Amino acid sequence: MADLGYRPFDTRTVCDFVQPLVREPVVSAEEIGDGNLNLVFRVTAGSGRSVIVKQALPYLRVAGESWSLTRHRARIEADAIEAHGKLAPEMLPRLIHFDEALSALVLEDLAGHVTWRDALMSGRATPGVAAAVGRYCAQVLLGTSDVKLSSPDRKALRRRFVYSELCIVTEDLVFTSPYIDSPSNRYDPAINVLAESLRADQALHKAAAELRFAFKTRDEALLHGDLHTGSVMVKDDDVRVIDLEFAYFGPVGFDPGLLLAHLALARIAHEASGGGSYARLIDDYAFEFWDALSDESRRRWSPTEPWFDRFFARVLADAARFAGLEMIRRIVGLAHAQDVDCLSPNNRLQAQNRVVSAGRSLVLGSPCAGFAELWNRATHEEHYA
Ligand code: ADP
Ligand code: MG
C-alpha cells in the first residue's frame, strides 16, 4: 500500500486530525488501546464530548514490527461496520469518519462501556448480553448469506471484501501454528508436555487442516471474524460489537464458535479459581446465546428454503469444532485469553489442561447432536438444556 502521507498518530497529531470533524475545540487525547494490532485514542473536546480514533499500524503490534500487516484492515473494518450496521444498527458503534490514506476510523465513543471479557472476569452479572450477541450473529450472518440476500446483491457485497492478509493471520494462528513448532507460539514452560502432545496428535492435526480448508472455502456469510468476549462492549443493557477488522466471508458457525470458546474459557477460569456459582451463571449465558441465535435464525430464515433444521444442525457441528480450535490456540498460540493468563500458577495450570482437553473433545468428537452436548464438551460437565 502506497504511503500517501500515512503516519502513525501521537496524542498531538490525532487532535489535529479530529479538529476539522467536530464543531468545538479539541482539547486532549489519550491512547486507550490495549493494543494487539492498532493505535486507539480517545479524543475529547471542550464540552467533554469525545470520539474514538482507531488507526491501523503497518505491522502486527503484538508480534513486533517484524510481522508486517496490511493497513487495508482499516478499510475492511469500515466496510464491515457499514454492512453489519445495516443489519443490526443498534449493535455497532457509529462510524463517524474514515480516512483511507491514514488508515484511521473515527468512531462513536462507547464511554462508560467495558468489554464483556472484563465484566466476566470481575464476576459481574451481565443480563441480556449473551442473547443480544446471539441475535446479532443471526442478523448479520443470515443477513449476508444467500438465504436473505438476492444473488446479485450478495455477489456485489462479496466483491467489496477482497482477499485480506488478515485471513492468513487467522489461518496461521487458529488452524496451523498450535499444531506445529511455530516461532509464534507462546505458552507457559509448565505446559511444555501438553503443547508437545498437540503437535504429536495426528488426528487433531488433520482435523485442524480440514477446518482450515472449510474456513478458506466456505464462503457463506460476512463474518465478524474475531468475535471474542473482548470484542463486545457493555454498559447496562447497551451491547455493542467492536473490532471488525478480521471481517471476511466464511462459514456461519465460525463466529458463534469463537464466542462460545471464550465463554468456556471464562467459565473454566472461574471454576479453577473456585468461582462455582459464577461459573454456573456463565452456563446460563452460553445457553441464552445459543437460544437467541437459534430463535432469531429460525425467525429470519426464508420460507422458500425448507431446510432450516439441516442448516442449523451444521452450524452447531461447525461451531463446536471452531470453538475447540479457538480454545486450544488461546492456551498455546500467540494471543492468549486474559481470563486464564491472570490466574495464579496452580489454578492456571489446571485451567490450561482443562481448556486443551475440552478443545480436543470438541474438535475430535462426533458432530454434536444438540447445544447441551456442545457445552458439556466445552466445559467437561453435564449440563441439561
Ligand atoms: P485492537 O484490534 O487493536 O485490539 P479494538 O478495536 O479491539 O482494537 O480496540 C481496543 C480497545 O479500545 C477496546 O478493548 C476498547 O477498550 C477500546 N475501544 C475500541 N473501540 C472503542 C469505542 N468505539 N468506544 C470506546 N472504547 C473503544
Ligand atoms: Mg483487533
Side-chain angles (χ1 to χ4, degrees), residues 130-258:
V133 181
R135 279 193 301 275
Y136 160 78
C137 285
Q139 285 163 343
V140 303
L141 296 175
L142 258 65
T144 57
S145 78
D146 255 306
V147 169
K148 294 302 278 189
L149 276 183
S150 72
S151 213
D153 286 351
R154 183 160 191 285
K155 263 108 192 145
L157 180 67
R158 183 70 191 77
R159 277 196 299 276
R160 278 179 67 190
F161 289 83
V162 291
Y163 171 75
S164 154
E165 245 179 39
L166 279 281
C167 300
I168 299 244
V169 174
T170 305
E171 288 162 23
D172 273 359
L173 297 186
V174 178
F175 299 96
T176 309
S177 293
Y179 308 99
I180 60 173
D181 192 10
S182 161
S184 67
N185 288 337
R186 266 188 328 119
Y187 46 83
D188 267 347
I191 59 161
N192 271 339
V193 173
L194 184 65
E196 173 57 38
S197 78
L198 292 170
R199 298 198 285 269
D201 188 331
Q202 287 310 309
L204 200 53
H205 199 104
K206 254 194 225 168
E210 194 180 337
L211 285 160
R212 183 175 58 225
F213 187 77
F215 175 74
K216 292 205 276 195
T217 55
R218 277 179 39 203
D219 178 3
E220 294 172 357
L222 179 61
L223 308 176
H224 176 287
D226 194 20
L227 189 62
H228 55 77
T229 50
S231 295
V232 177
M233 295 195 73
V234 301
K235 180 182 167 195
D236 305 323
D237 58 359
D238 190 25
V239 183
R240 308 293 188 98
V241 172
I242 62 164
D243 200 12
L244 288 90
E245 66 195 329
F246 281 86
Y248 199 63
F249 279 78
V252 169
F254 187 77
D255 282 350
L258 258 56

Side-chain angles (χ1 to χ4, degrees), residues 32 34 37-38 40 52 54 108-110 115 242-243 245:
I32 59 160
D34 39 18
L37 272 85
N38 306 289
V40 182
I52 297 293
K54 175 170 176 178
E108 171 189 4
D109 184 6
L110 304 171
T115 67
I242 62 164
D243 200 12
E245 66 195 329

